[in-house]
Amino acid sequence: MTKKIAIITTSQAGEYIADKLLQHLPHLQHLQHLPHLQHLPNLQAEPLPRTDVGRCWHHYDAFIFIGAMGICVRTIAPYIEDKHSDPAVVCVDSLGRHAISVLSGHVGGANALAQHVAQLLKAQPVITTQSDLSGLWALDTLHRRFNWAVDDGGRMNDAIFAFVNRQPTALLIREHDEGTEYLLRTRPPHVTLVSSTDEVDEQHYKLCIVVSHRNETVCNRIPTLQYIPRVLTVGFGLAHEAQPVEQICNAMEQAMTDHGFMPCPKAWCTIDVKENEPFVSYLRQQGEQVRFFTAKELAKVSVPHPSSTVQHHVGTPSVSEAAAILGSGGGELVIEKVKGQNWTMAVAEAPLSPPEGGTIVPALETIEAPSGAVGGALGAPFIDIVGAGPGDPDLISVRGRQLLEQADLILYAGSLVPRELTDCHKPGAVVRSSADMTLEEQCQLMAEHYRQGHRIVRLHTGDPCIFGAIQEQMAFFDREGMRYRITPGISSFLAAAAELRSQFTIPERTQTIILTRGEGRTPMPEREKLHLLARSQSTMCIFLSAAIVDDVQRELLTEYPPETPVAACYHLTWPDQRIYRGQLKDLAAMVHENHLTLTTMLVVGEAIDNRQGLSELYSEHFTHLFRKGKE
């Protein structure tokens, strides 16, 4: 379905700006927060005479006026009704210097549209809503951003007033998804995390914000906003031409409420032979997602209440329970089959899954954290294995830093990771070095916090997947059914290249980087002995080998020339970083004389300090996709 933006030019001076918007707006496919325009392939901008604005007021999703603000306001004033139904209105001055959000800033999306238009015109966006100016959450559109439902009890305006005036606010989170990570990361100082509704004292708090798909009872004397992640899937079966459809829908939603759930499912699922039933048409009219499965697909699902009658009529022993499980992606039934007069229903909850990019493993049964627990507000515990980078706190990834700020337990590799990396922890978090701990002690500590619903960061040096010793920890997590994911980090070999100001791959000289270690107490596979790897004379980065540098030098000299450039890099990017350059024949002496220890990266190869060898990519004679080379 095409969504339209009308562009109204009120003076001849603004025609150039209108032409530019008409040309470029259809290509802005990510107008986030602009309702119904997100990620649409069919976005259309078209000119509209000012005299037609009233007639077309509800035919467009947004209006952009180009000209004086007074003309814009006088034009739209007779047609303004309600922020929930009015289109977005933006006004751009005739010189294209300012893009002003005029009407429906949040709900209609004018704020976001003004920012996009300003970016396109290199203009200044003008936003006047208080929450945007103060950097606070936009409570009335937050649910759209994360595909949540919202229940405001009719008090959204009261909630917004309390929030933007920074009155004490309680935040109760029962879910773990992209949205709750955002709330935790950007939580303002006047918002306090609580572990249960019992902590919401009406004498202290003036607003309560809840993120949960279950019914949460909060004192009704203060405004309460409940955002409802759509994690439930309803499976349903129907008698032929089941009626009345509204009563059936209400009965199913009431059944969900009776079981303690908010009736805001992600999808409704049933067997394909019911696709043309009146109830299905009603769901679609209400904007609900409806999915269908064949009898063959449904019959493969094991359910607690199979029916021979259903098997006889539609060819599968279950419709409602099987459809709920299939539609949820193999989730768990949280409401088993409920029978109505001419319908059945069941509800499944989607499997717990990390944010995008995470690793999914079966979850332990979550134990509710006791009141006052640091991270007990989160119903889904999680372990993040995070790469700390080479040492400089500024070189950890943005995600890694955010995870550290949110963690209830930070278990860091103290012998390799600077303590300063953990200084961003939140008040009350447990910060512990693992340097003096065995694997069993580390796993026991993480398991204890996990079972309390806490968020855990296991912080490893560099990138955790390179000599990070995480395999045995993941085996423990898998065995115990603990959810985890890995956040990569900048490896020390990359920091070595940066600090040496060297490109480790040189055109026509060396195109390979070998990451390895010398043979110490940990045996090397026979095929990976250093003297065998050295035959390629590639750039070699040798980890964890300063203590056995004599053996390393001896093996390398069997293949590399004695004059091969080398570097010994100690504590890369740390405050006490030291780097020594030389030739391979002097490598051992260089390490010994400077008393270099564990955290030393040894680099070998002619790429060090090399300034010869040109890439063809930028040659004027080289033709590629974006440029034709000269003959």
Side-chain angles (χ1 to χ4, degrees):
M1 181 178 179
T2 299
K3 301 298 179 179
K4 299 192 295 183
I5 298 177
I7 298 179
I8 301 98
T9 307
T10 62
S11 69
Q12 188 174 1
E15 290 181 357
Y16 168 77
I17 296 171
D19 289 341
K20 188 170 185 178
L21 293 178
L22 288 168
Q23 179 181 356
H24 293 286
L25 272 176
H27 303 292
L28 294 178
Q29 302 302 328
H30 301 288
L31 298 181
Q32 295 181 3
H33 313 304
L34 192 59
H36 316 306
L37 294 184
Q38 298 180 39
H39 314 299
L40 285 172
N42 301 314
L43 184 61
Q44 179 180 336
E46 57 190 35
L48 184 75
R50 184 163 69 93
T51 53
D52 287 352
V53 169
R55 180 177 60 83
C56 301
W57 185 243
H58 290 297
H59 296 171
Y60 289 90
D61 301 280
F63 291 82
I64 300 175
F65 284 79
I66 303 172
M69 172 73 84
I71 297 176
C72 170
V73 171
R74 284 193 294 272
T75 302
I76 67 174
Y79 315 114
I80 297 174
E81 298 172 350
D82 181 84
K83 70 178 183 178
H84 295 287
S85 58
D86 290 330
V89 178
V90 170
C91 182
V92 179
D93 66 87
S94 57
L95 296 180
R97 294 177 179 174
H98 300 88
I100 307 165
S101 174
V102 179
L103 184 70
S104 296
H106 280 315
V107 178
N111 291 352
L113 182 58
Q115 290 171 338
H116 282 284
V117 169
Q119 184 178 20
L120 192 154
L121 299 175
K122 295 182 172 56
Q124 176 67 43
V126 179
I127 310 296
T128 58
T129 47
Q130 184 173 350
S131 58
D132 284 270
L133 294 174
S134 58
L136 298 175
W137 304 327
L139 298 183
D140 50 352
T141 59
L142 191 64
H143 58 293
R144 292 180 184 158
R145 181 172 181 176
F146 301 111
N147 192 32
W148 294 339
V150 61
D151 180 6
D152 61 13
R155 303 184 68 181
M156 177 62 80
N157 289 337
D158 294 338
I160 293 173
F161 178 84
F163 188 70
V164 299
N165 285 285
R166 301 182 184 274
Q167 295 182 7
T169 299
L171 175 62
L172 174 63
I173 294 179
R174 301 291 197 193
E175 313 289 344
H176 180 88
D177 63 9
E178 180 187 4
T180 56
E181 283 203 345
Y182 167 76
L183 295 183
L184 290 170
R185 186 172 66 249
T186 60
R187 178 167 58 95
H190 69 287
V191 176
T192 302
L193 274 174
V194 296
S195 301
S196 71
T197 56
D198 295 337
E199 297 179 41
V200 185
D201 180 3
E202 65 194 72
Q203 300 300 318
H204 175 68
Y205 294 110
K206 304 305 177 186
L207 170 66
C208 182
I209 299 173
V210 178
V211 185
S212 175
H213 66 281
R214 295 178 178 270
N215 284 318
E216 302 286 348
T217 303
V218 182
C219 172
N220 59 13
R221 285 186 285 274
I222 64 172
T224 298
L225 290 183
Q226 180 162 349
Y227 296 105
I228 307 152
R230 299 182 185 274
V231 298
L232 300 178
T233 298
V234 176
F236 64 93
L238 297 167
H240 181 60
E241 297 288 328
Q243 299 272 10
V245 292
E246 286 190 48
Q247 289 185 18
I248 294 174
C249 188
N250 291 339
M252 290 184 181
E253 290 182 347
Q254 185 60 50
M256 296 176 68
T257 301
D258 293 342
H259 282 81
F261 296 99
M262 299 296 287
C264 301
K266 180 179 181 180
W268 299 71
C269 302
T270 190
I271 192 167
D272 56 359
V273 296
K274 298 296 181 180
E275 184 171 0
N276 297 317
E277 288 287 332
F279 180 69
V280 172
S281 299
Y282 174 78
L283 290 176
R284 286 172 164 164
Q285 291 169 7
Q286 302 304 307
E288 299 289 344
Q289 179 186 355
V290 187
R291 296 179 59 194
F292 303 95
F293 299 100
T294 65
K296 185 176 180 180
E297 291 172 321
L298 296 171
K300 295 178 181 178
V301 181
S302 177
V303 298
H305 301 100
S307 167
S308 57
T309 302
V310 175
Q311 173 74 53
H312 174 73
H313 285 287
V314 294
T316 172
S318 171
V319 172
S320 59
E321 290 182 332
I325 293 171
L326 274 182
S328 67
E332 177 184 359
L333 283 177
V334 292
I335 302 178
E336 296 183 356
K337 184 164 64 175
V338 176
K339 293 183 179 180
Q341 182 176 357
N342 51 6
W343 55 267
T344 62
M345 68 163 287
V347 178
E349 185 173 335
L352 291 173
S353 61
E356 187 175 349
T359 302
I360 302 174
V361 296
L364 280 177
E365 181 180 356
T366 301
I367 299 176
E368 191 78 16
S371 177
V374 176
L378 284 174
F382 217 87
I383 296 173
D384 280 287
I385 301 171
V386 174
D392 185 337
D394 289 339
L395 290 178
I396 192 171
S397 67
V398 174
R399 181 201 287 177
R401 172 72 180 228
Q402 291 169 352
L403 293 171
L404 286 172
E405 292 171 348
Q406 299 165 14
D408 305 307
L409 168 66
I410 300 174
L411 183 61
Y412 71 102
S415 61
L416 301 170
V417 175
R419 168 81 186 202
E420 288 75 17
L421 270 157
T422 68
D423 286 347
C424 62
H425 69 81
K426 67 184 181 183
V430 176
V431 180
R432 175 72 192 278
S433 168
S434 62
D436 62 346
M437 301 173 69
T438 65
L439 173 64
E440 291 72 18
E441 290 170 335
Q442 296 171 33
C443 292
Q444 181 180 357
L445 177 63
M446 288 187 282
E448 289 172 358
H449 281 266
Y450 187 94
R451 291 188 173 90
Q452 294 180 66
H454 292 178
R455 300 191 67 184
I456 301 156
V457 168
R458 178 68 174 109
L459 190 62
H460 282 266
T461 186
D463 182 275
C465 297
I466 299 177
F467 300 111
I470 64 171
Q471 180 172 293
E472 53 265 44
Q473 296 172 68
M474 293 190 293
F476 173 81
F477 300 150
D478 290 341
R479 187 167 61 251
E480 296 298 321
M482 299 165 71
R483 299 176 351 124
Y484 63 93
R485 67 178 174 183
I486 300 171
T487 295
I490 296 174
S491 174
S492 56
F493 86 90
L494 298 170
E499 295 299 318
L500 289 169
R501 298 184 182 180
S502 298
Q503 178 178 310
F504 281 178
T505 54
I506 306 299
E508 300 181 12
R509 302 280 290 279
T510 176
Q511 294 288 281
T512 302
I513 303 170
I514 296 175
L515 309 181
T516 188
R517 61 178 297 172
E519 185 170 36
R521 287 186 296 177
T522 301
M524 292 291 288
E526 188 63 35
R527 63 185 178 277
E528 294 181 14
K529 299 289 187 180
L530 275 180
H531 68 274
L532 297 177
L533 298 178
R535 288 179 178 175
S536 68
Q537 297 192 24
S538 306
T539 304
M540 189 177 293
C541 300
I542 306 172
F543 292 71
L544 306 168
S545 300
I548 53 171
V549 67
D550 296 279
D551 296 334
V552 169
Q553 177 180 287
R554 183 175 59 254
E555 286 208 58
L556 294 178
L557 282 171
T558 63
E559 299 294 341
Y560 286 97
E563 296 76 22
T564 301
V566 296
C569 308
Y570 173 76
H571 272 185
L572 281 161
T573 76
W574 294 39
D576 60 343
Q577 169 182 292
R578 287 181 285 153
I579 295 178
Y580 302 91
R581 289 169 164 88
Q583 296 181 342
L584 178 56
K585 60 185 176 60
D586 302 317
L587 176 62
M590 186 165 60
V591 170
H592 293 314
E593 289 170 4
N594 293 289
H595 308 289
L596 303 184
T597 56
L598 293 175
T599 47
T600 298
M601 166 70 67
L602 304 178
V603 184
V604 182
E606 59 180 327
I608 298 173
D609 295 328
N610 185 83
R611 293 295 182 268
Q612 299 177 353
L614 298 177
S615 170
E616 290 291 336
L617 180 61
Y618 300 110
S619 169
E620 63 179 1
H621 303 292
F622 188 70
T623 297
H624 55 70
L625 180 62
F626 301 99
R627 187 183 70 242
K628 181 175 177 57
K630 295 181 179 179
E631 297 295 334

